[in-house]
Amino acid sequence: MMDIESCTELNEFPQMLPPPPGTFVDREELIQHVGDFAVSQGYVVTIKQSKRDRVVVLGCDRGGVYRNRRKPADESSAERTRRRKTGSRLTNCPFEAVGKKDDGLWILTIKNGTHNHEPIKDISEHPSARRFTEREIVLIKEMTEAGLKPRQILKRLRQNNPDLLSTPKHVYNVKAKLRQGNMTVENLRNSLQIMRNFKSLRPQKSAVRNNYLAVTEPSWRQRNPPRVPNLIGGRFVDSQSFVSIDVLNPATQQVISQVPLTTNEEFKAAVFAAKRAFPLWRNTPIATRQRIMFKFQELIHRDIDKLAMNITAEHGKTLKDAYGDVLRGLEEVEHACGLATLQMGEFVSNVSNGIDTYSIREPLGVCAGICPFDFPAMIPLWMFPLAVTCGNTFILKPSEKDPGAAVMLAELAVEAGLPNGVLNIVHGSNEIVNAICDDDDIKAISFVGPNVAGTYIYARASAKGKRIQSNVGAKNHAVVMPDASMDATLNALVAAGFGAAGQKCMALSTVIFVGGLNPWEDKLVEHAKAIKVNAGTEPDADLGPVISKQVKEQICKLIQTGVDTGAKLVLDGRNIVVPAYEHGSFVGPTILSNVATNMECYKEEVFGPVLLCMQADSIEEAINIINRHKYSNGASIFTTSGVAARKFQTEIEVGQVGINVPISVPLPFSSFTSCKPSFAGDLNFDGKAGIQFYTQVKMVTQQWKDLPGSSGASLLMPSS
């Protein structure tokens, strides 16, 4: 309790407001919130007490600006004492803010919001403004060892940072601490964030100083191998999880990075950040959201080389294929840039006397995406650009096998201007997937991946009332008619069957030759043998490794089951060895003929560079074979007959049909359609269906007219 005299003294000063209480994703965000607000009010805060994982106590740093210390001629002794007291650091300020961790989030409360001093008129007067950044301390250490004197050191520091307020005395103090061992450059490099948090939250006079704080790499980049960060509330942060999964280069089996299994608390923080960002983001004009996508598109073009190289390193596909991965994803961003007209509702005037009705499309809220490994850039770009441009916020879970491209794209999205919390990234496997399915704040989930996982996610998430779009297992067929152009057809079959090592949902895995295989088999093997198998980074590579040793084993197992049940192994790529990459998970082009519908290799998705060849006596028989299969993303026919092509497109039961086209994947303005068990949900990806998935329709009926007086209310059903 404060006495009356002290209260009176406090009230003599202009009011400095305390920061508004709230809930924050993590400790650093809470501290930043308090620090930024304090500077706007004319005071500076410092950490008084901290138990890093539980509580932090913030107080006011008076600063020690000894103003009015000389005695004016007409000033009494009492007045002089009070002036020195209010201008010095000798009196503690009662201000105190407390942050406590509760259920994964940090809660800010204000224990005492009053101050016993005047606001700082010029924030640069505060001693905290004269502190060196960690980077500057490293430079002082290096220049001291080079023989430079304090004034020379200060002069060079000011060349890089003209706003530096430190004096030679401050340089002397730093040098003394370095000599005494109280301040080591090694500790600075390894614990920069911790040290920064335990200093006063220094006000920044200009953006230049902020740049110096960002010079040092974050902790997750300093690890060897680096650890893939989460993105929570606009900040890339290392997970607190002690468990991680190695990301391997499929060509060398070397560890590239590690993916943490995001903790449940971190997941809740990501959802909270997305939920908190939603109200402001949904009210952001659509034109503003589109401009961010335009900038995002520009940045992807700028960094496409880095993205492609990362995809090749983590996935294994060739650089040419990796560029295609990014470019197809870029088309999704370009589609999102023109979303305004596609999101327009409908209007009907005067549906009844003086009454109009219209529909508007509104965002759902927090949405989530769960990605497979086969397209590290394209699939994430299928999901979050469209979702956020519609006004939603998003939780993205990349594949744990190749998450690098998704994180790089998120960095570019933040750079493009996506506000904090609009896009968040979490990593993990089953536990995170379950958390996404179960969280009540997540309204919709997009999933692409294997059938078992997709069926499970659809059942679990839909039971919670969520919208689901789930693209799962595929078995894509091609029918080759006797009149098909041989060279063009062979080139198409080889490219679609073996491209990206067959690791894509629209890979062509089965070819049905109407009238027999004999005219085609030798030529098909000849074209397949011409494919060069090598590491994806090699310039002559046509076919890279599959994603992992485990996947290779599964592919080889399915090949062997085919051979054991009567298939003919026309070309065997299981034992291929690539010079200089002997440890890589390579599978060469493989062709099986005489395949029957009861074989395991036909019934299941191989997801490797394996082409299954079947025969049919007629187009009707070929169509029946395809329609009986449980998976069907797409099917193609190669023919010069318009009659055969029309019959095929009419009778085939798949979502996407190609005519003399091996992979019938539409551009983003058309929906990616699948049917049968290959898709679960009501609304597909891309096009109008994609926009409908990420929005909900609201119908408005309005009446603006002078109503005549009436003796009473009518209970009749309204009609026109």
Side-chain angles (χ1 to χ4, degrees):
M1 293 290 292
M2 293 180 292
D3 57 28
I4 296 175
E5 184 179 351
S6 62
C7 286
T8 304
E9 183 176 310
L10 288 175
N11 290 334
E12 293 178 7
F13 304 115
Q15 184 181 18
M16 289 180 283
L17 298 175
T23 306
F24 300 87
V25 169
D26 55 25
R27 177 180 181 274
E28 283 68 32
E29 187 185 39
L30 182 146
I31 293 172
Q32 188 68 44
H33 165 75
V34 176
D36 291 345
F37 189 88
V39 169
S40 72
Q41 295 293 307
Y43 60 98
V44 177
V45 294
T46 186
I47 296 177
K48 295 170 63 176
Q49 181 183 351
S50 177
K51 294 181 180 177
R52 186 163 182 81
D53 294 329
R54 287 184 292 169
V55 65
V56 60
V57 180
L58 304 171
C60 179
D61 187 347
R62 290 294 310 280
V65 183
Y66 290 88
R67 300 182 295 272
N68 303 320
R69 294 184 63 181
R70 294 188 179 183
K71 176 184 175 183
D74 59 345
E75 186 176 62
S76 67
S77 177
E79 288 174 337
R80 184 171 69 253
T81 301
R82 192 184 72 77
R83 279 186 174 275
R84 173 165 183 175
K85 186 175 181 181
T86 59
S88 77
R89 215 173 169 179
L90 301 179
T91 303
N92 289 330
C93 178
F95 172 85
E96 190 170 273
V98 179
K100 288 186 178 180
K101 191 175 184 181
D102 182 21
D103 195 25
L105 299 173
W106 284 78
I107 312 298
L108 173 66
T109 56
I110 307 302
K111 191 172 181 180
N112 190 330
T114 59
H115 297 264
N116 61 1
H117 58 92
E118 297 175 352
I120 302 172
K121 294 180 180 178
D122 184 356
I123 210 74
S124 65
E125 292 181 1
H126 194 277
S128 64
R130 294 189 286 277
R131 288 197 181 100
F132 294 111
T133 66
E134 290 85 2
R135 176 61 179 164
E136 288 165 346
I137 292 172
V138 171
L139 293 174
I140 290 172
K141 167 74 172 175
E142 293 172 352
M143 287 188 278
T144 299
E145 292 173 349
L148 273 68
K149 295 183 178 181
R151 290 188 181 277
Q152 295 172 311
I153 292 173
L154 199 61
K155 184 177 180 180
R156 295 201 177 187
L157 291 176
R158 284 177 176 158
Q159 288 176 351
N160 291 329
N161 183 13
D163 293 324
L164 186 65
L165 300 174
S166 304
T167 66
K169 181 179 179 180
H170 295 104
V171 179
Y172 275 115
N173 291 339
V174 171
K175 290 177 64 177
K177 289 180 181 179
L178 289 170
R179 281 197 305 270
Q180 295 165 6
N182 296 335
M183 183 184 294
T184 65
V185 175
E186 288 76 16
N187 288 340
L188 284 167
R189 283 173 175 160
N190 295 330
S191 307
L192 293 178
Q193 189 62 45
I194 295 174
M195 288 186 63
R196 189 178 302 132
N197 291 339
F198 281 84
K199 290 182 177 181
S200 290
L201 299 171
R202 179 182 58 198
Q204 302 298 329
K205 187 174 179 181
S206 71
V208 176
R209 297 186 70 83
N210 282 325
N211 292 337
Y212 278 84
L213 290 173
V215 167
T216 306
E217 292 285 318
S219 61
W220 52 272
R221 287 194 192 275
Q222 292 179 2
R223 292 174 181 257
N224 188 21
R227 211 153 105 114
V228 182
N230 292 321
L231 172 59
I232 300 176
R235 293 176 39 249
F236 291 92
V237 291
D238 193 3
S239 173
Q240 298 301 307
S241 173
F242 294 105
V243 184
S244 58
I245 301 170
D246 289 341
V247 177
L248 302 178
N249 183 325
T252 64
Q253 300 304 306
Q254 293 179 341
V255 178
I256 300 172
S257 60
Q258 292 183 321
V259 183
L261 301 185
T262 300
T263 66
N264 189 51
E265 288 186 346
E266 290 164 344
F267 171 74
K268 288 181 178 178
V271 175
F272 172 80
K275 185 179 179 181
R276 185 178 60 180
F278 175 64
L280 184 60
W281 180 243
R282 71 171 294 176
N283 289 322
T284 301
I286 181 64
T288 303
R289 300 199 295 259
Q290 285 184 154
R291 288 189 196 104
I292 293 173
M293 288 298 111
F294 275 113
K295 181 64 177 178
F296 186 36
Q297 173 202 36
E298 176 188 329
L299 295 175
I300 292 174
H301 273 294
R302 184 195 71 188
D303 287 0
I304 190 170
D305 293 340
K306 296 178 184 177
L307 286 161
M309 187 63 72
N310 176 270
I311 291 170
T312 296
E314 293 186 351
H315 179 279
K317 64 176 67 177
T318 65
L319 269 176
K320 291 177 287 187
D321 214 359
Y323 276 101
D325 189 335
V326 180
L327 289 171
R328 285 308 297 257
L330 188 62
E331 292 172 350
E332 303 289 337
V333 182
E334 292 169 345
H335 176 54
C337 289
L339 204 62
T341 55
L342 300 174
Q343 212 172 343
M344 292 170 61
E346 298 172 329
F347 186 94
V348 181
S349 177
N350 211 40
V351 294
S352 185
N353 185 25
I355 297 177
D356 305 324
T357 184
Y358 57 93
S359 65
I360 53 178
R361 287 203 165 270
E362 295 185 332
L364 303 175
V366 181
C367 301
I370 302 171
C371 302
F373 72 84
D374 50 340
F375 288 100
M378 188 187 79
I379 300 297
L381 292 174
W382 259 17
M383 297 177 179
F384 77 82
L386 195 62
V388 301
T389 311
C390 284
N392 301 286
T393 54
F394 208 80
I395 308 288
L396 183 71
K397 194 207 87 66
S399 170
E400 63 274 16
K401 295 178 181 178
D402 47 14
V407 173
M408 293 172 70
L409 289 168
E411 289 178 322
L412 298 182
V414 171
E415 184 181 347
L418 212 58
N420 294 348
V422 172
L423 175 63
N424 304 270
I425 291 182
V426 293
H427 302 283
S429 54
N430 297 344
E431 289 187 1
I432 285 297
V433 169
N434 288 340
I436 290 172
C437 293
D438 295 343
D439 194 285
D440 292 334
D441 289 322
I442 294 177
K443 307 302 182 185
I445 299 175
S446 297
F447 172 79
V448 178
N451 181 62
V452 174
T455 303
Y456 172 81
I457 290 169
Y458 180 78
R460 184 160 183 156
S462 59
K464 291 284 185 176
K466 302 184 192 305
R467 285 190 182 184
I468 307 291
Q469 52 178 195
S470 178
N471 265 9
V472 293
K475 197 75 172 182
N476 304 302
H477 297 73
V479 173
V480 178
M481 300 298 291
D483 62 349
S485 171
M486 181 165 284
D487 287 338
T489 301
L490 288 170
N491 288 333
L493 296 179
V494 169
F498 302 126
Q503 299 177 110
K504 50 189 177 184
C505 60
M506 289 304 295
L508 189 61
S509 61
T510 305
V511 186
I512 303 173
F513 292 91
V514 176
L517 177 60
N518 288 337
W520 299 87
E521 185 175 297
D522 292 341
K523 289 281 188 181
L524 184 61
V525 172
E526 181 184 331
H527 277 68
K529 284 183 176 179
I531 294 174
K532 295 181 180 178
V533 181
N534 210 334
T537 52
E538 298 296 333
D540 64 341
D542 297 317
L543 180 65
V546 295
I547 188 75
S548 69
K549 292 283 189 180
Q550 293 79 9
V551 170
K552 177 180 178 178
E553 290 173 6
Q554 180 64 22
I555 293 169
C556 293
K557 180 181 176 182
L558 285 172
I559 294 171
Q560 189 59 45
T561 62
V563 174
D564 293 343
T565 52
K568 178 185 174 183
L569 189 58
V570 179
L571 181 63
D572 188 357
R574 291 175 292 178
N575 299 317
I576 190 169
V577 176
V578 177
Y581 299 97
E582 291 81 2
H583 300 293
S585 53
F586 291 93
V587 179
T590 299
I591 299 175
L592 288 170
S593 65
N594 298 332
V595 174
T597 57
N598 62 345
M599 293 180 180
E600 193 71 16
C601 62
Y602 175 73
K603 291 190 288 186
E604 299 300 327
E605 187 177 21
V606 178
F607 223 63
V610 180
L611 200 59
L612 309 180
C613 296
M614 306 176 72
Q615 301 181 63
D617 294 330
S618 64
I619 188 173
E620 289 83 6
E621 183 184 353
I623 291 172
N624 288 334
I625 291 173
I626 298 172
N627 288 345
R628 286 198 303 266
H629 200 282
K630 61 180 179 180
Y631 300 136
S632 287
N633 258 358
S636 298
I637 185 170
F638 291 88
T639 182
T640 56
S641 168
V643 174
R646 185 171 181 82
K647 178 181 180 64
F648 183 81
Q649 76 173 39
T650 302
E651 298 181 11
I652 203 72
E653 297 173 2
V654 299
Q656 298 175 87
V657 178
I659 298 175
N660 295 321
V661 173
I663 302 177
S664 54
V665 178
L667 291 174
F669 45 76
S670 301
S671 295
F672 186 97
T673 53
S674 296
C675 61
K676 295 199 289 190
S678 291
F679 178 78
D682 297 320
L683 296 164
N684 285 286
F685 293 82
D686 284 343
K688 293 181 180 178
I691 296 168
Q692 290 166 2
F693 179 78
Y694 287 119
T695 57
Q696 56 192 351
V697 176
K698 180 181 287 183
M699 295 299 303
V700 180
T701 302
Q702 64 180 7
Q703 176 177 267
W704 299 107
K705 66 178 182 179
D706 293 329
L707 298 176
S710 177
S711 58
S714 173
L715 302 183
L716 297 177
M717 174 73 72
S719 66
S720 58

